[in-house]
């Protein structure tokens, strides 16, 4: 039981009449990245704040690295670090001062805190911005500094609450790299995200939550498999070939083949990869040249839709730039 | 887009490899800082409180406007009250200021303590307290440190007012030592009532509300006191209130110390009030601090 990083049972947190967390059971192993995926308002932040001892649960229990978050909160704080959804930095101070401050609070001497701050600024490519006030930082810089502040002393478990929300794709990739480096350094990372792609990219296992409850748990592949079929996408080199290709595929696969808005693309839901090889060979035999084909398991978007009956985006009115980008990528 | 992919429809943005040993230089640098992030011995409560006090002072360097309320405000208070009340009540500024100066120092500093509450409210809203609260340190130290930092600001305000007073002809009989001891009493009391504002800051959801409640508490205390006039000139019920008003006792102690008179019972009453504020509002503050947001 003690090799679990996080273990909760019947966790409840209410705000007035809102049941922000409504009976959450988690069992998360040490090591790697675990993602908590859910739309805005699902209760991700509240779960994290309970686990990081920033707020106390109304019911249920939570153990983090084997310690109870209520009765043993100081021991939990000693071992974990939280990078909140919104930067927890002192905006009036410089990046360097922020890191030195945290260093001092961890018990570094003045000189020790100074050199630790330099190391961190360097590793997070912030040396040049070190003497600027944090309020003048870009979103990506702020996020990096916030993560740096969380690892002044290397935590056993790092909570990252929506680490890439609102970041441009480049900054997002930087954050992903940081997460991967953390994990290879032996830290367990629990991150929340609204972005299905992000969970898919980073996480070993994913817990899907919606309206304060866990609705699914597993690896990305398991979640996708639970939805069933995958999708074959084919793009023909010559648009004129599309009707012929559609006929061949329909015959070989025995399912409906759809014409996409992209005038050279066709898609079909398939049960497995078995018939696909034969169908592609048949296309080649018919002299139809393909620009691209891919056999995808369902995306996490589809997973979410099939579990909850609504897509992650339905419930979220405004969406961050990252999500838009990934949708564009998928459409491309 | 002519590459042949067989992997999946989920677009994979290829970034640096994920393996432990094969990272880019940037990732290796990250790994290196992670490995070197060893934990120093835990700091004690005093040291973390002082670190937080240091943070408050660093802010002054970056946001010098913060010094307005401890320089301009006290100067204006001193000038305004000395010339308005000095002329009207005592007939001469010179006479009145001997009586008035300790009181105006108390009043200005006590008014400035209100900013403690709004500062904390703003910090909480910006999320920086989430970081502080998640650290394995003596929990009150973030608040104690802020109050300590504020005490330095109060000291600046007091020094400014002493300077202005001296220029206007204030000649405290207690000499420099008496003046400093008087200021010390004011600082002690201000630190203690700071805990009322921290509690209110954790109770209320907006800095406007924090300000409003603080005003409501402070206004009657400062005006129904012996700061401006001697209470014997007041109607009986008001005189009674002025008598129990802790601020009156702070003013009396400050007058005694600065004026070189013998220290009376007021000083003891100030100590008791101060201890009471810390003992009541300290725990109340920490009780709210557990779920602060
Ligand atoms: N401090 C709070 N006061 C009142 N309601 C809150 C508070 N924090 C969160 N909530 C509510 O709880 C629900 C879950 O919020 P949150 O945990 O922030 O979700 P997520 O992080 O998944 O977007 C939401 O309906 C939100 O409005
Ligand atoms: Mg959130």
């Amino acid at each position: 039981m003690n090799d679990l990083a996080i273990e909760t049972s019947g966790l409840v947190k209410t705000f007035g009449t809102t049941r922000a967390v409504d009976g959450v059971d988690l069992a998360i192993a040490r090591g790697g990245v675990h993602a908590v995926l859910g739309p805005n308002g699902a209760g991700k932040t509240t779960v994290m704040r309970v686990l990081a001892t920033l707020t106390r649960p109304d019911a249920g229990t939570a153990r983090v690295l084997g310690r109870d978050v209520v009765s043993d909160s100081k021991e939990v704080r000693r071992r974990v670090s939280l990078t909140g959804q919104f930067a927890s930095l002192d905006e009036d101070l410089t990046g360097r001062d922020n890191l030195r401050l945290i260093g001092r609070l961890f018990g570094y001497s003045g000189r020790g805190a100074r050199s630790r701050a330099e190391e961190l600024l360097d590793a997070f490519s912030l040396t040049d911005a070190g003497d600027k006030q944090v309020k003048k930082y870009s979103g990506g810089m702020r996020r990096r500094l916030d993560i740096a502040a969380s690892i002044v002393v290397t935590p056993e478990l790092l909570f990252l609450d929506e680490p890439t929300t609102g970041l441009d794709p480049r900054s997002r990739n930087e954050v992903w790299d940081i997460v991967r480096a953390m994990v290879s350094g032996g830290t367990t990372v629990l991150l929340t995200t609204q972005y299905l792609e992000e969970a898919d990219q980073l996480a070993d296992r994913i817990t899907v939550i919606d309206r304060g409850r866990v609705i699914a748990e597993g690896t990305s592949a398991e979640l996708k498999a639970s939805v069933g079929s995958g999708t074959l996408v084919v793009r023909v080199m010559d648009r004129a070939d599309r009707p012929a290709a559609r006929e061949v595929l329909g015959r070989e696969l025995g399912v409906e083949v759809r014409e996409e808005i992209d005038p050279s693309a066709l898609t079909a839901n398939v049960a497995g990869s078995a018939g696909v090889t034969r169908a592609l060979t048949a296309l080649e035999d018919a002299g139809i040249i393909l620009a691209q084909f891919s056999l995808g398991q369902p995306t996490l978007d589809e997973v979410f839709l099939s579990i909850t009956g609504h897509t992650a985006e339905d419930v979220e009115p405004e969406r961050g730039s990252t999500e838009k980008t990934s949708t564009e990528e998928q459409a491309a | 887009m002519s590459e042949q992919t067989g992997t999946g429809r989920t677009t994979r943005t290829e970034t640096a490899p994920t393996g432990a040993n094969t990272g880019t230089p940037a990732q290796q640098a990250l790994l290196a800082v992670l490995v070197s992030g060893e934990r120093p011995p835990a700091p004690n409560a005093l040291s973390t409180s002082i670190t937080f006090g240091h943070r408050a002072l660093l802010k002054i360097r970056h946001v010098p406007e913060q010094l307005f309320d401890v320089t301009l405000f006290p100067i204006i208070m001193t000038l305004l009250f000395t010339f308005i009340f000095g002329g009207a009540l005592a007939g001469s500024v010179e006479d009145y200021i001997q009586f008035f100066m300790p009181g105006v120092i108390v009043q200005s500093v006590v008014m400035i303590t209100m900013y403690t509450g709004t500062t904390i409210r703003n910090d909480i809203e910006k999320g920086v307290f989430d970081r502080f609260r998640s650290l394995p340190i003596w929990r009150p130290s973030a608040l104690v440190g802020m109050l300590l930092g504020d005490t330095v600001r109060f000291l600046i305000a007091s020094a400014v007012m002493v300077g202005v007073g001296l220029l206007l002809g204030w000649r405290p009989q207690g000499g420099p030592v008496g003046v400093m001891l008087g200021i010390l009493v004011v600082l002690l009391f201000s630190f203690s009532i700071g805990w009322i504002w921290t509690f209110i800051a954790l109770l209320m959801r907006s800095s406007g509300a924090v300000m409003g409640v603080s005003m409501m508490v402070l206004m009657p205390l400062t005006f129904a006191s012996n700061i401006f006039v001697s209470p014997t000139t007041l109607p009986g019920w008001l005189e009674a209130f002025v008598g129990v008003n802790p601020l009156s006792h702070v003013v009396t102690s400050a007058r005694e110390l600065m004026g070189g008179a013998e220290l009376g019972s007021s000083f003891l009453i100030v100590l008791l009030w101060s201890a009471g504020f810390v003992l009541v509002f300290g725990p109340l503050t920490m009780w709210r601090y557990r779920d602060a947001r």
Side-chain angles (χ1 to χ4, degrees):
Chain A
M1 158 187 139
N2 262 3
D3 40 325
L4 285 178
I6 291 164
E7 195 182 13
T8 73
S9 132
L11 209 59
V12 172
K13 179 78 192 179
T14 54
F15 296 105
T17 54
T18 314
R19 293 180 79 80
V21 178
D22 193 8
V24 164
D25 302 316
L26 294 172
I28 297 173
R30 287 184 200 237
V33 180
H34 192 101
V36 173
L37 172 68
N40 206 7
K44 305 181 296 295
T45 298
T46 309
V47 167
M48 281 231 164
R49 291 178 64 86
V50 168
L51 294 176
T53 79
L54 290 180
T55 190
R56 289 161 312 130
D58 294 322
T61 57
R63 294 175 77 78
V64 171
L65 300 166
R67 271 105 184 153
D68 189 275
V69 294
V70 177
S71 61
D72 217 0
S73 58
K74 188 152 185 197
E75 283 302 310
V76 173
R77 287 199 281 276
R78 196 185 289 289
R79 286 168 177 78
V80 306
S81 229
L82 168 74
T83 304
Q85 185 168 357
F86 307 102
S88 8
L89 300 161
D90 192 328
E91 303 213 314
D92 292 331
L93 301 189
T94 65
R96 185 171 269 116
D97 283 343
N98 266 283
L99 293 177
R100 281 173 57 188
L101 174 73
I102 307 292
R104 294 286 285 151
L105 293 173
F106 269 110
Y108 278 101
S109 66
R111 177 189 295 194
R114 187 188 305 258
S115 74
R116 183 68 183 151
E118 293 313 314
E119 276 173 29
L120 286 163
L121 288 173
D122 187 46
F124 285 82
S125 318
L126 289 168
T127 307
D128 292 340
D131 284 328
K132 263 202 247 172
Q133 274 181 295
V134 172
K135 64 168 76 137
K136 295 178 183 137
Y137 279 25
S138 70
M141 287 159 70
R142 206 176 277 240
R143 181 55 57 173
R144 293 208 301 279
L145 183 67
D146 208 13
I147 297 177
S150 303
I151 63 164
V152 168
V153 165
T154 308
E156 284 175 53
L157 172 61
L158 176 67
F159 296 108
L160 293 173
D161 195 6
E162 302 202 17
T164 63
T165 301
L167 296 190
D168 60 81
R170 184 163 155 262
S171 305
R172 181 192 56 184
N173 282 331
E174 284 167 356
V175 170
W176 286 359
D177 282 348
I178 292 169
V179 172
R180 290 176 180 129
M182 302 279 315
V183 169
S184 64
T187 295
T188 306
V189 176
L190 180 72
L191 68 82
T192 67
T193 182
Q194 300 182 32
Y195 305 141
L196 308 157
E197 187 199 355
E198 183 163 68
D200 197 16
Q201 281 273 326
L202 286 176
D204 304 303
R205 294 186 75 80
I206 300 168
T207 299
V208 186
I209 70 169
D210 188 37
R211 303 189 175 113
R213 292 170 176 277
V214 174
I215 53 170
E217 205 272 342
T219 63
S220 169
E222 280 166 6
L223 291 179
K224 289 168 176 176
S226 71
V227 180
S229 58
T231 311
L232 175 70
V233 182
V234 161
R235 287 175 70 228
V236 290
M237 192 66 96
D238 183 352
R239 284 171 195 180
D241 284 342
R242 186 159 87 159
R246 185 180 182 188
E247 203 191 304
V248 172
L249 286 177
R251 191 177 62 232
E252 293 295 330
L253 294 170
V255 295
E256 188 208 350
V257 178
R258 296 178 301 271
E259 297 193 340
E260 296 293 304
I261 301 164
D262 174 352
S264 58
L266 290 166
T267 59
N269 288 347
V270 293
S273 61
V276 173
T277 329
R278 204 176 55 237
L280 292 174
T281 316
L283 284 179
E284 197 181 342
D285 291 346
I288 297 167
I289 300 164
L290 298 184
Q292 185 193 30
F293 70 87
S294 65
L295 175 59
Q297 291 173 304
T299 64
L300 284 168
D301 278 302
E302 288 160 329
V303 173
F304 202 88
L305 181 62
S306 90
I307 305 171
T308 63
H310 58 84
T311 62
E313 286 77 15
D314 276 353
V315 261
E316 191 206 344
E318 11 88 87
R319 286 156 54 194
S321 59
T322 314
E323 179 65 20
K324 277 199 210 89
T325 313
S326 80
T327 323
E328 279 156 18
E329 278 168 18
Q330 293 195 359
Chain B
M1 272 309 276
S2 63
E3 61 174 341
Q4 300 246 315
T5 73
T7 47
R9 221 173 85 209
T10 320
T11 314
R12 292 216 170 236
T13 316
E14 274 316 318
T15 50
T18 55
N21 310 315
T22 52
T24 60
Q27 275 186 303
Q28 279 162 0
L30 276 172
L31 260 180
V33 292
L34 278 172
V35 172
S36 61
E38 265 169 44
R39 184 183 296 278
N44 61 34
L46 181 66
S47 129
T48 50
S49 302
I50 290 174
T51 302
F52 279 112
H54 184 218
R55 159 179 177 261
L57 298 182
L58 274 177
K59 274 172 111 82
I60 296 181
R61 203 175 70 201
H62 293 295
V63 193
E65 303 92 274
Q66 283 197 341
L67 282 180
F68 276 173
D69 55 357
V70 295
T71 51
L72 276 185
F73 175 71
I75 292 175
I76 291 169
M77 292 283 277
T78 312
L79 293 178
L80 210 63
F81 285 111
T82 310
F83 286 103
I84 290 176
F85 287 92
L89 296 176
S92 107
V93 168
E94 205 108 324
D95 290 345
Y96 186 62
I97 200 165
Q98 309 305 331
F99 165 79
F100 180 59
M101 211 47 222
V104 82
I105 292 177
V106 173
Q107 169 169 38
S108 302
V109 171
V110 166
M111 294 293 272
I112 302 167
T113 61
M114 276 195 317
Y115 288 98
T116 307
T118 47
T119 309
I120 289 182
R121 188 69 247 163
N122 289 336
D123 272 355
I124 290 172
E125 247 130 65
K126 285 185 184 152
V128 61
F129 264 92
D130 279 351
R131 165 83 56 208
F132 299 156
R133 293 199 310 125
S134 68
L135 295 174
I137 51 173
W138 183 57
R139 270 207 158 178
S141 50
L143 300 164
V144 173
M146 280 186 96
L147 291 173
L148 287 179
D150 277 340
T151 306
V152 173
R153 292 174 1 103
F154 305 155
L155 186 65
I156 296 172
S158 309
V160 167
M161 279 182 288
V162 168
V164 174
L166 291 176
L167 284 178
L168 293 176
W170 179 44
R171 296 293 172 261
Q173 298 303 303
V177 175
V179 171
M180 273 190 270
L181 288 177
I183 289 176
L184 221 56
V185 174
V186 178
L187 295 186
L188 173 80
F189 182 76
S190 304
F191 176 86
S192 313
I193 59 168
W195 290 100
I196 305 178
W197 314 141
T198 55
F199 177 57
I200 290 174
L202 293 173
L203 214 53
M204 306 272 145
R205 280 300 165 88
S206 78
S207 54
V210 173
M211 198 60 144
V213 172
S214 312
M215 275 298 213
M216 243 158 56
V217 176
L218 273 186
M219 275 305 173
L221 285 184
T222 49
F223 285 103
S225 74
N226 58 355
I227 293 179
F228 303 106
V229 289
S230 164
T232 47
T233 62
L234 297 172
W237 62 272
L238 194 53
E239 189 183 346
F241 179 81
V242 171
V244 294
N245 183 351
L247 220 58
S248 302
H249 294 285
V250 181
V251 173
T252 304
S253 306
R255 275 194 189 126
E256 287 164 354
L257 287 164
M258 293 178 174
E262 200 164 316
L263 199 55
S265 62
S266 278
F267 177 64
L268 207 69
I269 297 173
V270 171
L271 287 187
L272 286 176
W273 274 106
S274 300
F277 286 139
V278 175
L279 289 178
V280 172
F281 290 97
L284 280 176
T285 298
M286 292 322 295
W287 166 67
R288 290 293 299 183
Y289 192 63
R290 292 182 309 177
D291 292 301
R293 73 173 305 170

